[in-house]
Amino acid sequence: MNIYVCVKQVPDTEARIAPQGEGTIREEGIKWVINPYDELAVEEALRLKESQTNGEVIVVSLGPQRAQEAIRMALAMGADRALHVVCDEYLDHRLVAKALAGAIQSDGTPAMVFAGRQAIDDDAYQVHLRLAHLLGITAATDVREFAWGEGGIRVTREIEEGALEKLTLAAPAMVAVARGINTPRYPTLPNIMKAKRKEIKQLSLADVGVTEVVNHEAILDLTAPPEKAQGRVLKGEHAETVPELVRLLHDEAKAV
Amino acid sequence: MDRIGVYLELKDGNVKPTNFELLTLVQQAGREVTGIMFGDDPASVLAGVAEYRVNELVHVGGLGGDGYKPEVWAANLADVIRERGLGDCLATCSAQGRDLFSRVAARLEAALVNDCTSVDLEARTATKPMYGGKVIARIRMTSDCRLYTLRPNSIIPAPAGGGGAPEVIPLKAGTVASGIEIREIVKDIADKIDLTEAKIIISGGRGMGSAESFAVLQKLAESLGAALGASRAAVDAGYATQDMQVGQTGKTVNPVLYIACGISGAVQHFAGMKTSKVIVAVNKDPEAPIFEKADYGIVGDVFEVVPLLTEEFGRALSE
């Protein structure tokens, strides 16, 4: 049973993001981590494997050499081996999905594919569904519960405030997970050591069928959002500041 | 010039207000609209968009209701876009809009920008926040078909009025084999306001101290018709449910007014709500970072300040 899990390396949520030319960011000082949603995906993949007798969890990632650190993290959590499409240039989401599909298809037939609902760098929310389409498998996004069963894959996904949708997916399926599905394990020291010896197979874009890079989405530039003017802390007794706040919200800010 | 496709998302058979932002966007660009709807009843949709200019309405019916069926709708929408030669199509960046358009993009090999905060149809360019809102990206699309989903509350709806009723083009949905079966939809509270579409949000943090104390925020929320949110710290502490979490690993919200109660203001929380038009902070710690980000702040105990606020808003709204 081949269980694939997509992993992307992204800047830590604490990272200071400074735009520089051509839609890129300054990388100095950035701590790179595994995308937090992908960590949930890895955990879910491992739990599925542990419930089966013959499962193997294979990490699939696209990115520059430094992405290896995120891949090692997934291996240290317990994934068995990895496919790394080494790519230094910008690819749009259509091509990323094509490369990941090519990597999976060059390796084996998926029984399941997991991914995070979004990557917290470009917040694109779309590679999982594009990948599922290319693999010709069913897919569900924003998944909060997952159960593997004979009659199909049962998932619960959040659709809108206070509403959950329960689906049965024909296998194989892409399941893009959201927070709340599990609590990912921390890699233990022995597992971190073991991960260093696990195989990371490096693939070029040509190896995965992307022979020509023609992007249909191009980042023209990145800019820092406008800084907010320093706000006001209202001083005095609550009996005065609260009515003053309500007045300001109405008259000045026109928010209510 | 080509018409712009606008996917009209419905809720309980009616047009969601977020669609008015899409229609306003197209009107302001001086372009014509091909509305696309799935469901049984175009009448309520026509009534819903009467204030806006919709030049034609493609009604995809015969699917047995307006419940979202991901693969079936995506295949049919892709056909409509292809057959009608729509170069640019818009939807709301909601759970449904994002899911549907990503599936359509895959089928059409189209470029897609989700979560746009502005769209320039002429330049085929959209802006969207990236890195949890730390930067704004400008993205140009060069494929034959271009798809955009717009973050709710990005545009102030401006009814154009009296364009006359659109021509309705009925289409019978094509049959599509689907490996997805929807078993059940469970709603915990009827008509709960969606956080990502809310105009006003009252949000609580670790400073609330318990799940029970969220009731004080609930009262304020009810008086304002607001949605209730929470910080990750509050969710992790079990004071609030997962679906309430605002932040980089929760929901991204874009309300007119965001009232943060007992929230210290971690960068990850800020990432999820920084585009709020007006931010109010109530916190007893005057050093809390949230005060640097807030337009207005009151230093004080949430349990003293919030009931006063509820009372004061109640008085102001009744006047």
Side-chain angles (χ1 to χ4, degrees):
Chain A
M1 180 188 210
N2 293 334
I3 307 164
Y4 291 91
V5 57
C6 302
V7 163
K8 186 177 187 183
Q9 190 191 39
V10 298
D12 177 59
T13 54
E14 300 274 357
R16 184 176 291 276
I17 304 296
Q20 59 178 21
E22 294 172 8
T24 60
I25 58 165
R26 272 229 313 277
E27 294 205 357
E28 292 95 82
I30 286 183
K31 183 182 163 209
W32 295 90
V33 298
I34 179 171
N35 178 41
Y37 292 106
D38 298 347
E39 224 174 320
L40 304 174
V42 173
E43 176 64 35
E44 209 56 30
L46 294 173
R47 289 184 187 189
L48 174 58
K49 173 193 156 162
E50 286 156 4
S51 74
Q52 303 295 313
T53 46
N54 60 344
E56 188 184 30
V57 173
I58 306 134
V59 176
V60 193
S61 187
L62 181 143
Q65 283 295 347
R66 63 167 156 69
Q68 274 214 20
E69 287 171 41
I71 295 170
R72 289 276 175 221
M73 170 71 183
L75 295 173
M77 285 173 73
D80 297 288
R81 58 188 179 86
L83 308 171
H84 178 191
V85 183
V86 182
C87 174
D88 289 308
E89 61 190 311
Y90 167 81
L91 294 190
D92 70 10
H93 301 105
R94 182 182 65 101
L95 289 177
V96 171
K98 190 175 177 196
L100 295 176
I104 291 173
Q105 282 161 340
S106 75
D107 186 73
T109 306
M112 259 315 288
V113 186
F114 289 96
R117 72 192 283 260
Q118 80 197 80
I120 61 158
D121 51 359
D122 61 4
D123 295 317
Y125 303 95
Q126 54 174 281
V127 168
H128 34 50
L129 287 171
R130 288 184 186 264
L131 174 56
H133 180 74
L134 291 171
L135 294 173
I137 62 177
T138 59
T141 52
D142 296 322
V143 171
R144 295 253 301 268
E145 286 171 6
F146 167 85
W148 177 269
E150 284 302 313
I153 296 155
R154 295 163 85 88
V155 300
T156 303
R157 59 186 296 260
E158 193 183 321
I159 46 173
E160 59 190 38
E161 217 52 43
L164 296 169
E165 189 178 63
K166 298 186 179 227
L167 307 175
T168 304
L169 307 172
M174 154 68 80
V175 164
V177 301
R179 233 171 87 77
I181 192 166
N182 60 42
T183 305
R185 67 195 69 185
Y186 287 108
T188 60
L189 193 58
N191 283 345
I192 292 170
M193 300 311 289
K194 235 192 268 174
K196 292 185 177 164
R197 293 190 303 274
K198 288 180 179 172
E199 182 203 7
I200 301 179
K201 186 177 180 186
Q202 297 209 334
L203 300 161
S204 68
L205 284 179
D207 291 338
V208 294
V210 180
T211 45
E212 195 189 5
V213 174
V214 180
N215 288 312
H216 289 163
E217 299 157 9
I219 301 175
L220 299 180
D221 52 43
L222 298 173
T223 49
E227 281 295 318
K228 278 201 157 214
Q230 182 66 42
R232 256 191 282 173
V233 175
L234 307 178
K235 299 264 193 300
E237 295 297 318
H238 297 332
E240 290 156 20
T241 55
V242 170
E244 174 68 358
L245 174 62
V246 171
R247 190 191 65 76
L248 286 167
L249 289 175
H250 182 266
D251 297 347
E252 186 179 84
K254 306 206 185 313
V256 278
Chain B
M1 284 223 272
D2 291 348
R3 286 184 170 164
I4 307 297
V6 174
Y7 167 68
L8 297 167
E9 184 174 338
L10 311 185
K11 188 175 186 182
D12 305 323
N14 295 309
V15 174
K16 284 174 66 168
T18 52
N19 294 298
F20 303 147
E21 297 185 47
L22 309 176
L23 296 173
T24 301
L25 192 161
V26 181
Q27 277 157 16
Q28 286 172 351
R31 304 286 290 270
E32 296 193 334
V33 172
T34 297
I36 305 162
M37 66 160 287
F38 286 74
D40 294 329
D41 179 21
S44 68
V45 176
L46 290 172
V49 300
E51 303 275 300
Y52 294 83
R53 210 167 296 135
V54 176
N55 303 84
E56 58 182 1
L57 177 66
V58 177
H59 168 219
V60 185
L63 287 165
D66 54 18
Y68 177 50
K69 298 177 187 71
E71 291 175 331
V72 181
W73 286 31
N76 276 285
L77 181 55
D79 284 346
V80 170
I81 292 170
R82 201 186 289 120
E83 281 159 20
R84 304 194 74 79
L86 296 168
D88 296 274
C89 294
L90 301 165
T92 300
C93 189
S94 58
Q96 185 191 101
R98 200 161 60 205
D99 191 86
L100 176 62
F101 264 41
S102 299
R103 290 175 191 271
V104 170
R107 285 169 183 271
L108 296 175
E109 294 204 39
L112 163 67
V113 181
N114 276 320
D115 205 22
C116 302
T117 47
S118 74
V119 172
D120 182 338
L121 291 167
E122 228 46 60
R124 298 173 174 182
T125 299
T127 60
K128 71 160 285 171
M130 289 198 344
Y131 299 95
K134 289 174 190 169
V135 295
I136 308 294
R138 216 155 49 94
I139 299 171
R140 174 168 293 154
M141 298 196 271
T142 48
S143 49
D144 293 338
C145 175
R146 300 157 297 275
L147 306 174
Y148 314 79
T149 67
L150 186 73
R151 180 182 286 196
N153 296 334
S154 292
I155 289 174
I156 298 165
E167 181 195 354
V168 178
I169 299 158
L171 293 180
K172 191 173 178 325
T175 34
V176 177
S178 176
I180 303 178
E181 180 211 339
I182 294 158
R183 297 198 312 276
E184 190 187 358
I185 290 175
V186 192
K187 289 190 180 181
D188 63 351
I189 298 171
D191 296 326
K192 202 164 160 187
I193 301 162
D194 198 288
L195 267 179
T196 57
E197 293 170 13
K199 301 278 184 209
I200 303 178
I201 293 172
I202 316 297
S203 213
R206 204 203 302 269
M208 297 308 296
S210 72
E212 291 70 35
S213 55
F214 264 72
V216 74
L217 302 184
Q218 180 68 41
K219 277 213 186 88
L220 176 57
E222 279 166 14
S223 75
L224 288 168
L228 207 53
S231 70
R232 176 170 176 173
V235 173
D236 285 350
Y239 305 164
T241 52
Q242 183 62 56
D243 60 327
M244 291 165 68
Q245 189 194 322
V246 172
Q248 195 160 8
T249 57
K251 294 211 166 87
T252 305
V253 300
N254 191 24
V256 177
L257 175 60
Y258 189 92
I259 304 183
C261 304
I263 292 178
S264 64
V267 288
Q268 293 89 344
H269 184 72
F270 193 58
M273 44 65 89
K274 70 186 300 179
T275 56
S276 306
K277 310 288 179 294
V278 180
I279 299 170
V280 172
V282 180
N283 200 303
K284 65 181 172 195
D285 174 11
E287 303 297 321
I290 190 80
F291 286 116
E292 291 165 29
K293 316 287 190 186
D295 298 277
Y296 305 105
I298 290 181
V299 178
D301 189 330
V302 167
F303 301 101
E304 290 172 22
V305 176
V306 172
L308 284 172
L309 258 179
T310 309
E311 209 176 289
E312 196 59 34
F313 272 121
R315 191 174 308 145
L317 290 171
S318 66
E319 274 168 19

